[in-house]
Amino acid sequence: MKTTPSPIAIGARHIAPLFGVNDRLAVSRQTEAVRAVRTQLTLLLAATAVSAVSGLAGWDDGAWIAAGVYALALLFSVRISRRRARVHYQAHREVAESVKSLSWMYMAGGGDFQVGGDTNPDVLFAVRLDERLRELVKVGWDAERCGEQPAGAGQITPTMREVRCKPFPVRRDFYLRDRLEEQLAWYGGKSETARHSAALWNIVITLLTAGALGMTVLRAWRLHDTDLTGLFSAAAAAAVAWNETRRHRPLTYAHHLIEQDLGELREAMLRIIPGEGERTEKQWAQMVAASERLVLPQHTDWLARFGGK
Protein backbone atom coordinates (compact mmCIF):
# COMPACT_ATOMS: atom_id res chain seq x y z
CA MET A 1 0.00 0.00 0.00
CA LYS A 2 1.32 3.44 -0.93
CA THR A 3 0.66 6.79 0.69
CA THR A 4 -1.38 9.16 -1.45
CA PRO A 5 -0.06 12.60 -2.39
CA SER A 6 -1.29 15.54 -0.29
CA PRO A 7 -1.26 19.26 -1.13
CA ILE A 8 0.72 20.27 1.99
CA ALA A 9 4.31 19.24 2.67
CA ILE A 10 4.87 19.64 6.40
CA GLY A 11 8.13 21.46 7.04
CA ALA A 12 9.75 23.34 9.92
CA ARG A 13 7.68 26.46 9.25
CA HIS A 14 4.43 24.52 9.70
CA ILE A 15 5.09 23.19 13.21
CA ALA A 16 5.56 24.96 16.55
CA PRO A 17 7.97 27.90 16.01
CA LEU A 18 10.05 26.90 19.04
CA PHE A 19 11.37 24.01 16.97
CA GLY A 20 12.94 26.18 14.26
CA VAL A 21 14.60 28.56 16.73
CA ASN A 22 16.08 25.80 18.88
CA ASP A 23 17.10 23.74 15.86
CA ARG A 24 19.17 26.65 14.52
CA LEU A 25 20.71 27.29 17.95
CA ALA A 26 21.51 23.59 18.36
CA VAL A 27 23.26 23.43 14.98
CA SER A 28 25.26 26.58 15.81
CA ARG A 29 26.34 25.28 19.22
CA GLN A 30 27.15 21.82 17.89
CA THR A 31 29.38 23.34 15.22
CA GLU A 32 31.13 25.43 17.86
CA ALA A 33 31.62 22.42 20.15
CA VAL A 34 33.06 20.24 17.36
CA ARG A 35 35.40 22.99 16.19
CA ALA A 36 36.55 23.59 19.76
CA VAL A 37 37.50 19.94 20.33
CA ARG A 38 39.21 19.75 16.94
CA THR A 39 41.20 22.92 17.62
CA GLN A 40 42.24 21.77 21.09
CA LEU A 41 43.45 18.39 19.82
CA THR A 42 45.28 20.06 16.92
CA LEU A 43 47.09 22.46 19.27
CA LEU A 44 48.16 19.67 21.60
CA LEU A 45 49.39 17.55 18.69
CA ALA A 46 51.20 20.51 17.13
CA ALA A 47 52.95 21.27 20.42
CA THR A 48 54.04 17.64 20.75
CA ALA A 49 55.32 17.61 17.17
CA VAL A 50 57.34 20.83 17.66
CA SER A 51 58.80 19.48 20.90
CA ALA A 52 59.76 16.14 19.31
CA VAL A 53 61.29 17.64 16.18
CA SER A 54 63.20 20.35 18.08
CA GLY A 55 64.62 17.69 20.40
CA LEU A 56 65.83 15.60 17.48
CA ALA A 57 67.27 18.62 15.66
CA GLY A 58 68.85 20.11 18.75
CA TRP A 59 66.86 23.30 18.22
CA ASP A 60 66.69 25.04 21.61
CA ASP A 61 64.18 27.69 20.53
CA GLY A 62 61.79 24.93 19.50
CA ALA A 63 61.18 24.11 23.15
CA TRP A 64 59.95 27.67 23.75
CA ILE A 65 57.68 27.49 20.73
CA ALA A 66 56.27 24.19 21.97
CA ALA A 67 55.70 25.72 25.41
CA GLY A 68 53.86 28.62 23.78
CA VAL A 69 51.58 26.26 21.86
CA TYR A 70 50.89 24.25 25.02
CA ALA A 71 50.01 27.50 26.83
CA LEU A 72 47.68 28.42 23.97
CA ALA A 73 46.02 25.00 24.23
CA LEU A 74 45.56 25.56 27.98
CA LEU A 75 43.94 28.96 27.45
CA PHE A 76 41.70 27.50 24.76
CA SER A 77 40.65 24.74 27.16
CA VAL A 78 39.59 27.35 29.73
CA ARG A 79 37.59 29.16 27.06
CA ILE A 80 35.83 25.92 26.07
CA SER A 81 34.81 25.21 29.65
CA ARG A 82 33.34 28.71 30.00
CA ARG A 83 31.44 28.67 26.72
CA ARG A 84 29.76 25.30 27.50
CA ALA A 85 28.84 24.92 23.84
CA ARG A 86 28.23 21.17 24.12
CA VAL A 87 25.83 21.60 27.06
CA HIS A 88 23.92 24.33 25.24
CA TYR A 89 23.82 22.24 22.07
CA GLN A 90 22.31 19.28 23.90
CA ALA A 91 19.73 21.46 25.67
CA HIS A 92 18.59 23.16 22.46
CA ARG A 93 18.51 19.84 20.60
CA GLU A 94 16.35 18.29 23.33
CA VAL A 95 13.92 21.22 23.14
CA ALA A 96 13.82 21.16 19.33
CA GLU A 97 13.13 17.43 19.13
CA SER A 98 10.60 17.50 21.98
CA VAL A 99 8.68 20.34 20.33
CA LYS A 100 8.79 18.61 16.95
CA SER A 101 7.57 15.35 18.45
CA LEU A 102 4.73 17.07 20.31
CA SER A 103 3.73 18.90 17.14
CA TRP A 104 3.48 15.66 15.19
CA MET A 105 1.63 13.91 18.01
CA TYR A 106 -0.90 16.76 17.99
CA MET A 107 -1.29 16.75 14.19
CA ALA A 108 -1.47 12.99 13.69
CA GLY A 109 -3.55 12.26 16.79
CA GLY A 110 -0.91 10.17 18.51
CA GLY A 111 -0.66 9.07 22.14
CA ASP A 112 -2.82 11.16 24.49
CA PHE A 113 -3.66 13.41 21.53
CA GLN A 114 -5.91 10.70 20.10
CA VAL A 115 -8.61 12.17 17.88
CA GLY A 116 -12.02 11.76 19.49
CA GLY A 117 -10.59 11.53 22.99
CA ASP A 118 -11.95 13.33 26.03
CA THR A 119 -8.94 15.64 26.54
CA ASN A 120 -8.78 19.10 24.95
CA PRO A 121 -5.77 18.71 22.61
CA ASP A 122 -4.80 22.40 22.72
CA VAL A 123 -4.71 22.44 26.52
CA LEU A 124 -2.84 19.13 26.62
CA PHE A 125 -0.26 20.44 24.14
CA ALA A 126 0.34 23.53 26.28
CA VAL A 127 0.68 21.45 29.47
CA ARG A 128 3.06 18.88 27.96
CA LEU A 129 5.21 21.57 26.36
CA ASP A 130 5.45 23.54 29.59
CA GLU A 131 6.39 20.39 31.55
CA ARG A 132 9.17 19.52 29.12
CA LEU A 133 10.58 23.04 29.03
CA ARG A 134 10.66 23.24 32.84
CA GLU A 135 12.68 20.01 32.94
CA LEU A 136 15.19 21.29 30.39
CA VAL A 137 15.67 24.66 32.09
CA LYS A 138 17.30 22.68 34.92
CA VAL A 139 19.99 21.33 32.58
CA GLY A 140 20.95 24.52 30.80
CA TRP A 141 18.19 25.57 28.39
CA ASP A 142 17.65 29.32 28.40
CA ALA A 143 14.43 30.67 26.88
CA GLU A 144 15.97 34.13 26.47
CA ARG A 145 18.22 32.84 23.67
CA CYS A 146 15.10 32.01 21.66
CA GLY A 147 13.73 35.56 21.69
CA GLU A 148 10.05 36.40 22.06
CA GLN A 149 7.96 33.26 21.54
CA PRO A 150 4.24 32.55 21.92
CA ALA A 151 3.52 30.42 24.97
CA GLY A 152 1.54 27.22 25.41
CA ALA A 153 -1.20 26.71 22.84
CA GLY A 154 0.17 29.74 20.97
CA GLN A 155 2.80 27.35 19.58
CA ILE A 156 0.10 25.47 17.66
CA THR A 157 0.19 26.68 14.05
CA PRO A 158 -2.79 26.89 11.64
CA THR A 159 -1.29 24.02 9.60
CA MET A 160 -1.14 21.81 12.70
CA ARG A 161 -4.83 22.43 13.37
CA GLU A 162 -5.70 21.91 9.72
CA VAL A 163 -3.94 18.55 9.56
CA ARG A 164 -5.49 17.37 12.82
CA CYS A 165 -8.98 18.05 11.43
CA LYS A 166 -8.37 15.80 8.40
CA PRO A 167 -9.94 12.31 8.16
CA PHE A 168 -7.82 9.41 9.40
CA PRO A 169 -6.51 8.25 5.97
CA VAL A 170 -5.28 11.76 5.18
CA ARG A 171 -3.63 12.20 8.59
CA ARG A 172 -1.98 8.81 8.20
CA ASP A 173 -0.59 9.77 4.80
CA PHE A 174 0.73 13.07 6.16
CA TYR A 175 2.47 11.32 9.03
CA LEU A 176 3.92 8.47 6.98
CA ARG A 177 5.18 10.72 4.20
CA ASP A 178 6.39 13.82 6.02
CA ARG A 179 7.48 12.33 9.34
CA LEU A 180 8.14 8.61 9.24
CA GLU A 181 9.64 8.31 5.77
CA GLU A 182 11.75 11.43 6.37
CA GLN A 183 13.07 9.89 9.60
CA LEU A 184 13.75 6.55 7.88
CA ALA A 185 15.85 8.32 5.25
CA TRP A 186 17.67 10.39 7.90
CA TYR A 187 18.59 7.44 10.13
CA GLY A 188 19.57 5.31 7.16
CA GLY A 189 21.89 8.01 5.84
CA LYS A 190 23.39 8.74 9.25
CA SER A 191 24.00 5.05 9.93
CA GLU A 192 25.88 4.63 6.66
CA THR A 193 27.94 7.81 7.16
CA ALA A 194 28.86 6.84 10.73
CA ARG A 195 29.84 3.33 9.59
CA HIS A 196 32.26 4.67 6.97
CA SER A 197 33.71 7.22 9.40
CA ALA A 198 34.22 4.56 12.08
CA ALA A 199 36.06 2.33 9.62
CA LEU A 200 38.27 5.20 8.44
CA TRP A 201 39.25 6.32 11.93
CA ASN A 202 39.92 2.74 13.04
CA ILE A 203 42.42 2.45 10.19
CA VAL A 204 44.07 5.75 11.18
CA ILE A 205 44.32 4.71 14.83
CA THR A 206 45.75 1.31 13.89
CA LEU A 207 48.42 2.84 11.62
CA LEU A 208 49.48 5.42 14.22
CA THR A 209 49.63 2.80 16.97
CA ALA A 210 51.66 0.56 14.70
CA GLY A 211 54.00 3.48 14.05
CA ALA A 212 54.53 3.98 17.80
CA LEU A 213 55.14 0.24 18.21
CA GLY A 214 57.62 0.21 15.35
CA MET A 215 59.60 3.15 16.72
CA THR A 216 59.71 1.52 20.16
CA VAL A 217 61.00 -1.78 18.74
CA LEU A 218 63.66 -0.01 16.67
CA ARG A 219 64.87 1.89 19.73
CA ALA A 220 64.85 -1.28 21.85
CA TRP A 221 66.99 -3.11 19.30
CA ARG A 222 69.16 -0.02 18.85
CA LEU A 223 68.50 -0.06 15.11
CA HIS A 224 67.55 3.60 14.96
CA ASP A 225 68.52 6.65 17.02
CA THR A 226 65.52 8.77 16.06
CA ASP A 227 62.73 8.49 18.64
CA LEU A 228 59.33 9.61 17.38
CA THR A 229 57.41 7.28 19.67
CA GLY A 230 55.94 10.19 21.62
CA LEU A 231 54.71 11.89 18.47
CA PHE A 232 53.06 8.74 17.13
CA SER A 233 51.52 8.06 20.55
CA ALA A 234 50.15 11.59 20.81
CA ALA A 235 48.71 11.38 17.29
CA ALA A 236 47.08 8.03 18.07
CA ALA A 237 45.64 9.40 21.32
CA ALA A 238 44.25 12.44 19.47
CA ALA A 239 42.65 10.17 16.87
CA VAL A 240 41.08 8.02 19.60
CA ALA A 241 39.78 11.13 21.39
CA TRP A 242 38.28 12.51 18.19
CA ASN A 243 36.69 9.15 17.33
CA GLU A 244 35.17 8.92 20.81
CA THR A 245 33.91 12.49 20.64
CA ARG A 246 32.13 11.85 17.34
CA ARG A 247 30.84 8.44 18.58
CA HIS A 248 30.94 6.88 15.11
CA ARG A 249 30.66 3.23 16.14
CA PRO A 250 27.91 3.56 18.78
CA LEU A 251 25.87 5.86 16.53
CA THR A 252 26.13 3.37 13.67
CA TYR A 253 24.61 0.77 15.98
CA ALA A 254 21.90 3.10 17.34
CA HIS A 255 20.84 4.59 14.01
CA HIS A 256 20.66 1.18 12.34
CA LEU A 257 18.40 -0.25 15.05
CA ILE A 258 16.11 2.78 14.99
CA GLU A 259 15.84 2.57 11.21
CA GLN A 260 14.82 -1.09 11.50
CA ASP A 261 12.22 -0.37 14.19
CA LEU A 262 10.76 2.55 12.24
CA GLY A 263 10.49 0.38 9.14
CA GLU A 264 8.54 -2.27 11.07
CA LEU A 265 6.24 0.38 12.55
CA ARG A 266 5.61 1.85 9.10
CA GLU A 267 4.45 -1.54 7.80
CA ALA A 268 2.18 -1.97 10.84
CA MET A 269 0.69 1.50 10.34
CA LEU A 270 -0.15 0.71 6.73
CA ARG A 271 -2.08 -2.36 7.89
CA ILE A 272 -4.43 -0.37 10.14
CA ILE A 273 -7.97 -0.66 8.77
CA PRO A 274 -9.68 2.74 8.35
CA GLY A 275 -13.36 3.14 9.11
CA GLU A 276 -13.47 1.36 12.47
CA GLY A 277 -13.92 4.60 14.41
CA GLU A 278 -12.51 4.63 17.91
CA ARG A 279 -10.67 1.33 17.47
CA THR A 280 -8.80 2.68 14.43
CA GLU A 281 -7.89 5.91 16.21
CA LYS A 282 -6.71 4.04 19.31
CA GLN A 283 -4.44 1.72 17.32
CA TRP A 284 -3.10 4.65 15.36
CA ALA A 285 -2.48 6.74 18.49
CA GLN A 286 -0.47 3.93 20.08
CA MET A 287 1.70 3.42 16.98
CA VAL A 288 2.39 7.13 16.53
CA ALA A 289 3.41 7.37 20.19
CA ALA A 290 5.73 4.38 19.72
CA SER A 291 7.40 5.91 16.66
CA GLU A 292 7.88 9.25 18.41
CA ARG A 293 9.57 7.52 21.35
CA LEU A 294 11.99 5.90 18.90
CA VAL A 295 13.19 9.19 17.41
CA LEU A 296 13.72 11.14 20.63
CA PRO A 297 17.40 11.90 21.41
CA GLN A 298 17.19 10.04 24.73
CA HIS A 299 16.43 6.79 22.92
CA THR A 300 19.37 7.25 20.54
CA ASP A 301 21.73 7.94 23.46
CA TRP A 302 20.44 4.86 25.31
CA LEU A 303 21.09 2.63 22.30
CA ALA A 304 24.46 4.26 21.65
CA ARG A 305 25.66 3.25 25.13
CA PHE A 306 25.24 -0.40 24.13
CA GLY A 307 26.74 0.17 20.69
CA GLY A 308 29.89 1.58 22.26
CA LYS A 309 30.68 -1.61 24.16
Side-chain angles (χ1 to χ4, degrees):
M1 184 186 299
K2 295 183 178 180
T3 58
T4 57
S6 52
I8 304 174
I10 307 299
R13 68 183 186 279
H14 296 118
I15 62 178
L18 259 178
F19 165 74
V21 175
N22 282 277
D23 183 58
R24 289 191 293 273
L25 287 169
V27 170
S28 173
R29 289 297 192 170
Q30 182 185 31
T31 302
E32 180 184 347
V34 170
R35 285 177 178 171
V37 173
R38 185 169 55 206
T39 301
Q40 188 176 23
L41 291 174
T42 301
L43 287 172
L44 290 170
L45 187 56
T48 304
V50 172
S51 179
V53 172
S54 62
L56 292 173
W59 182 33
D60 294 337
D61 291 339
W64 288 106
I65 295 175
V69 179
Y70 276 124
L72 186 60
L74 183 60
L75 291 174
F76 194 77
S77 177
V78 173
R79 181 178 181 274
I80 291 174
S81 64
R82 290 180 176 177
R83 290 283 296 172
R84 302 181 71 209
R86 187 173 184 84
V87 172
H88 294 156
Y89 149 66
Q90 290 174 332
H92 286 299
R93 177 53 58 204
E94 289 282 353
V95 171
E97 295 305 323
S98 294
V99 170
K100 190 175 186 179
S101 183
L102 272 176
S103 296
W104 274 108
M105 294 271 280
Y106 176 92
M107 281 189 286
D112 294 337
F113 293 94
Q114 177 182 330
V115 172
D118 298 330
T119 308
N120 183 316
D122 287 22
V123 172
L124 180 61
F125 184 92
V127 170
R128 290 290 172 79
L129 179 59
D130 184 61
E131 288 174 349
R132 188 62 180 143
L133 294 181
R134 282 205 308 268
E135 290 176 359
L136 291 168
V137 164
K138 299 175 183 177
V139 294
W141 182 70
D142 187 355
E144 292 184 4
R145 296 195 196 99
C146 302
E148 291 293 329
Q149 294 289 324
Q155 288 285 324
I156 302 174
T157 65
T159 299
M160 290 168 61
R161 289 194 169 92
E162 180 184 348
V163 173
R164 182 177 175 82
C165 291
K166 300 288 185 183
F168 167 72
V170 180
R171 276 186 286 114
R172 179 180 65 181
D173 289 346
F174 269 118
Y175 187 78
L176 290 176
R177 184 199 66 186
D178 293 336
R179 179 58 164 167
L180 208 58
E181 291 181 3
E182 184 269 339
Q183 289 295 291
L184 276 167
W186 189 90
Y187 280 103
K190 287 292 184 180
S191 176
E192 190 67 14
T193 300
R195 186 176 68 81
H196 286 305
S197 296
L200 175 62
W201 280 102
N202 283 337
I203 292 172
V204 171
I205 292 168
T206 300
L207 290 175
L208 291 172
T209 304
L213 173 62
M215 293 303 302
T216 303
V217 171
L218 289 175
R219 289 282 294 176
W221 287 348
R222 301 183 184 278
L223 296 177
H224 205 290
D225 293 333
T226 302
D227 188 7
L228 293 177
T229 305
L231 181 57
F232 275 106
S233 297
V240 169
W242 179 254
N243 197 34
E244 290 298 316
T245 298
R246 302 299 289 161
R247 301 197 304 167
H248 295 304
R249 189 177 71 175
L251 286 178
T252 299
Y253 175 84
H255 289 158
H256 180 65
L257 283 185
I258 294 172
E259 182 190 10
Q260 284 185 326
D261 290 342
L262 286 176
E264 292 173 2
L265 264 175
R266 182 184 183 280
E267 295 304 314
M269 287 176 169
L270 287 170
R271 290 195 296 268
I272 295 179
I273 302 174
E276 294 188 353
E278 185 178 350
R279 181 182 176 185
T280 295
E281 292 292 352
K282 184 176 181 180
Q283 286 182 315
W284 174 250
Q286 290 172 344
M287 290 188 181
V288 170
S291 67
E292 291 303 320
R293 282 194 294 271
L294 286 175
V295 299
L296 284 176
Q298 302 96 306
H299 183 65
T300 300
D301 289 340
W302 181 75
L303 288 176
R305 285 201 294 271
F306 293 94
K309 294 184 183 299

